[in-house]
Amino acid sequence: MSKIMKAMPNKNLIQISFASILLLVLLSCGKSTSLIEECKTVLETDRSFSAYSQEHGMAASFYKYASDKAVMLRDNSYPVKGKENIKALFLKTEVAGNTLIWEPEYVDVAASRDLAYTYGFYKYITPDSTFRGSYVSIWKKDENNNWKYVFDAGTSGLGKEK
């Protein structure tokens, strides 16, 4: 009988192992759900950014959603560094009646949940033409837990709509 008892696994060990596996599964599911929710929040932020641009103009939009140390890359230009300089750039180049809108196509959030990126396509609409391009934005949570872009770049490679 004692040989049989030795061959049988300890009931407590089985329960502890099962509980540990269950806990790991539940924790990993919670992590995935949290990352999915964070991705949705970043997408919503990027879409709100575009809607704000359409309603209030590019200068106001790019200022509102920028981190203080944001950097922008644009064709044929040195990097534009800092929220104030980005606003100044748009105030100089923004034309009344022209609109910039975009739609993110993809988002990813770091496991740390404080860094993310989006990319997608934009349209720059003038009274007589629409130009298309692609963009990428890198997002970081600020001290108030709000997503702000820290890097933004766009290309004009998709050309004019016909």
Side-chain angles (χ1 to χ4, degrees), residues 3 18-19 35 49 65 78-79 99:
K3 287 183 182 179
F18 179 74
L35 280 174
F49 181 16
Y65 286 88
Y78 288 104
T99 305

Side-chain angles (χ1 to χ4, degrees), residues 92-137:
K92 283 192 306 191
T93 59
E94 195 166 15
V95 176
N98 292 1
T99 305
L100 178 66
I101 58 172
W102 59 91
E103 178 65 29
E105 182 170 298
Y106 183 82
V107 62
D108 199 5
V109 175
S112 61
R113 294 177 190 80
D114 63 350
L115 195 63
Y117 75 95
T118 54
Y119 70 80
F121 302 98
Y122 73 84
K123 290 182 180 183
Y124 182 68
I125 304 164
T126 68
D128 59 349
S129 300
T130 298
F131 300 90
R132 300 176 305 125
S134 56
Y135 76 94
V136 63
S137 297

Side-chain angles (χ1 to χ4, degrees), residues 24-37:
L24 283 172
V25 168
L26 290 174
L27 286 176
S28 66
C29 288
K31 186 174 182 181
S32 297
T33 301
S34 180
L35 280 174
I36 290 168
E37 291 304 314

Side-chain angles (χ1 to χ4, degrees), residues 18 26 40 42 46-47 53 59 66 78 82 121 138-139 148 159:
F18 179 74
L26 290 174
K40 289 178 184 177
V42 175
D46 201 2
R47 288 180 177 131
S53 175
Y78 288 104
F121 302 98
I138 299 174
W139 300 86
K148 299 289 185 176

Side-chain angles (χ1 to χ4, degrees), residues 1-11:
M1 188 100 156
S2 64
K3 287 183 182 179
I4 294 174
M5 293 294 281
K6 286 182 182 176
M8 291 177 64
N10 182 334
K11 185 177 178 181

